């Protein structure tokens, strides 16, 4: 059973809202109405992506018998807000800290890769739903809303996956790379291709390509 402390729940909620706002600012620019309009959609994609990413780390840590807890990094939140005004988000609001006297590179790598894997799976689920609802989006407002949410969910989660897999500093990628180069290169390649498609083609064009529209 996964247990949470009250401070951990508080930190997760703060990070969830601020990161959602950051992505809304990055996408909506200086248009307040656009930011407020897109924020609820972003919160669904980012909410699932961010919370489940961290829970992935926590679940695998506790599976190995370690206590793990998410802690907020205020400086990371401030930096994320600053970068969002330049059209991108350096998303490092905090991390799940695993408490262990000793941990092998393999266990550390498996704990670290859990988060990005969650994001990749979520992105693919969002893409599958987007493909399913796209044909009906031409005559259904609800389908349009769902398609927008899924498009953002795909874009944000694929980006979160590739970002966290970068072998920089204390990001997940460094620990996965120390454990297994082959697994790291495959996962970052998959996440990178997904993100590249989102940034270059756009999700709608990707969906149209998939269904042959």
């Amino acid at each position: 059973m996964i247990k949470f402390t009250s401070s951990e729940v508080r930190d997760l909620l703060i990070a969830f809202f601020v990161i959602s706002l950051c992505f809304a600012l990055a996408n909506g620019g200086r248009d307040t109405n656009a930011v407020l309009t897109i924020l609820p959609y972003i919160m669904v994609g980012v909410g699932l992506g961010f919370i489940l990413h961290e829970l992935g780390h926590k679940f695998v840590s506790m599976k190995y018998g370690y206590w793990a807890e998410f802690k907020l990094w205020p400086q990371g939140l401030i930096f994320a807000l600053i970068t969002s005004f330049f059209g991108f988000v350096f998303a490092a609001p905090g991390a799940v800290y695993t408490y262990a006297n000793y941990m092998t590179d393999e266990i550390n790598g498996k704990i670290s890769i859990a988060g990005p894997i969650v994001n990749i799976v979520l992105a693919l689920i969002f893409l599958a739903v987007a493909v399913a609802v796209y044909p009906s989006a031409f005559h259904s407002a609800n389908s349009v809303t769902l398609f927008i949410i899924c498009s953002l969910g795909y874009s944000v989660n694929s980006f979160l996956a590739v970002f966290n897999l970068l072998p920089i500093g204390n990001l997940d990628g460094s620990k996965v790379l120390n454990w297994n180069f082959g697994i790291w290169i495959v996962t970052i390649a998959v996440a990178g291709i997904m993100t590249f498609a989102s940034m270059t083609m756009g999700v709608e064009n990707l969906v149209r390509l998939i269904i042959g529209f």
Side-chain angles (χ1 to χ4, degrees), residues 128-141:
V129 175
V131 169
V133 303
Y134 185 73
S136 62
F138 291 96
H139 49 77
S140 170

Side-chain angles (χ1 to χ4, degrees), residues 103-175:
M103 186 185 299
T104 64
D105 285 342
E106 179 181 359
I107 292 177
N108 198 15
K110 288 179 178 178
I111 291 172
S112 299
I113 203 171
I117 289 294
V118 167
N119 291 130
I120 290 172
V121 171
L122 277 174
L124 292 174
I125 291 173
F126 276 121
L127 181 61
V129 175
V131 169
V133 303
Y134 185 73
S136 62
F138 291 96
H139 49 77
S140 170
N142 290 334
S143 293
V144 170
T145 299
L146 184 55
F147 181 80
I148 292 172
I149 291 173
C150 289
S151 296
L152 290 169
Y154 172 81
S155 299
V156 169
N157 278 280
S158 58
F159 171 78
L160 287 175
V162 75
F163 173 80
N164 279 282
L165 283 167
L166 293 175
I168 300 173
N170 204 37
L171 291 177
D172 297 328
S174 298
K175 301 160 194 174

